[in-house]
Amino acid sequence: MAMVPRFRFAPSPTGTPHIGNLHTALFSWALSRHTGGDFILRIEDTDPERNTPAAAQAMMEALTWLGIDWDEGPDVGGEFGPYVQSARLARHQEIAAQLLAANLAYYGDDPTQQTSQLTNQPLRLRLPRSGETIVHDALRGPIRFDNVLLKDPVLVRSNGRPLYHLAAMVDDHDMGITHVVRGEEWIASAPIHVQLYRALGWQEPVWIHLPLILNKRGQKLSKRDPEGGYLISDFQEAGYLPEALFNYLLLLGWSPDGEQEMVDKWIVRQQFRLERLSTSPAVFDWDKLNWVNRQYLQRLSDERLAGLIRPFLEDAYDDLPMSEAWLVALTAVIRPDIAKLEDAIDLTEWAFVDDFAYTANARAALATPPAHPVILRLISELAALVILDQPTAESILRQMRADLQAAKGWRAPDIFHPIRAALTGHVAGRPLPEIMGIIGKERALQRLARAIRGG
Ligand code: GLU
């Protein structure tokens, strides 16, 4: 039977999933999909003080949201289960006893002392004192460690709790993991893992340590980063689409053939080759993410985009005149300017808020000589209408412009800046007919009257 490569993602369920977790998971998953291998999810919940079932659940939801699926895991099962580390405790203890019996591990701090388990001491792995340990990293080549510098690691705490080094390697071996993909921060522990595999006479997996992700200042991403939040919930709340984040995260450390920037699952399957992975740190670039997100948003129909925007607007504004048709029309107006869904809140303020403040430029425009007559003329035009829609607004404005230019010599900005200031409080924005079509006759008239009254 040909051996299928087996990849895994093994998160510790502490706190809220962040972008680093998902990046690691995504790369491991993508390699599994490219190689036609299996992808296994294992929850490493052996630290009762820090791990919670809620965090494990949140991790699974975040993975699913991003579009990562797993072939074996706590929820779907599989023939190598259980996939929750705490449920494998007996096996970890069995291996610890085996190492102790073979004198490959010892209790206490002194490797020369024979101690019994009863002494309430941690169990340590006995590492070689001379020579070197070479970690063959598939991305980085051989990484050499001088054994003199390695400290015998604790495998089992004095309270009997097996630690990560032991538990993860035993599980990786027992689950038939052929490729360990994880973050660069694990390189320092890798010689311990190599020695553990060796002590147990097991065949080592392929080691793949992914580069760090840094912010633009070259710092590791942190929760309180000034450039933005890196929790998955931060991205969800800002309105990034999962497809866009999926795409963007793939580009952090991998380059597809032809350097294209829009990648989907199909391209991953075809092209996610190890040789195209980078070893230098990737820089998280919000502008690039916004660009990618915009591409995905622009692919959506007005109706679909409106459906995604709606909860953001419902949160931000009360008492909305939000019929479905009106919201779809509003979406069509603002869509060229949206990079992420939460942008819709600011971009639609003129559509929801009637008592907006005027910007300084808007005040200035309303104080020019043409402002008063222009607005009065528009009021009389609108008053005569039954309904104000976009084509009607367009023809009214065109006519006004022609008339006022001929009669008074006023130019487009003389006419349209005061109108825009009166209708939105700003002197720039989406085309006026679009705005007028959205706010409609009554609200347009109220806003024009307010401007005449002096705000
Ligand atoms: N449980 C470890 C973590 O969440 C996994 C490290 C590994 O992938 O080996 O960081």
Side-chain angles (χ1 to χ4, degrees), residues 8 10-12 44 164 168-169 180-182 186:
R8 53 54 156 192
S12 304
E44 301 205 319
Y164 165 78
M169 295 311 116
V180 168
V181 180
R182 57 188 181 181
W186 292 103

Side-chain angles (χ1 to χ4, degrees), residues 338-355:
I338 301 184
K340 51 194 187 301
L341 298 173
E342 74 172 355
D343 295 347
I345 296 172
D346 286 345
L347 291 171
T348 58
E349 199 186 351
W350 54 267
F352 292 107
V353 179
D354 291 307
D355 59 350

Side-chain angles (χ1 to χ4, degrees), residues 201-269:
W202 295 340
Q203 194 195 334
E204 269 180 61
V206 175
W207 306 103
I208 297 168
H209 292 97
L210 301 173
L212 292 174
I213 304 174
L214 304 176
N215 71 14
K216 278 193 164 167
R217 297 181 178 80
Q219 302 155 331
K220 279 178 75 172
L221 305 186
S222 78
K223 270 187 202 163
R224 312 233 174 284
D225 198 285
E227 290 176 14
Y230 293 101
L231 299 178
I232 294 318
S233 51
D234 294 327
F235 291 88
Q236 291 168 331
E237 282 160 21
Y240 289 99
L241 298 184
E243 304 88 318
L245 196 60
F246 174 94
N247 186 335
Y248 177 67
L249 287 181
L250 283 169
L251 301 177
L252 283 179
W254 168 63
S255 23
D257 305 349
E259 310 287 328
Q260 80 254 42
E261 305 205 288
M262 301 299 284
V263 290
D264 58 17
K265 289 194 173 165
W266 175 240
I267 292 176
V268 165
R269 222 169 265 279

Side-chain angles (χ1 to χ4, degrees), residues 23 38 62 65 77 83 107 146 182 217 253 315 342 361 370 417 425 453:
H23 183 261
D38 293 331
W65 178 77
Y83 294 91
Y107 278 103
D146 199 340
R182 57 188 181 181
R217 297 181 178 80
D315 249 18
E342 74 172 355
N361 286 340
H417 280 178
R453 288 195 310 270

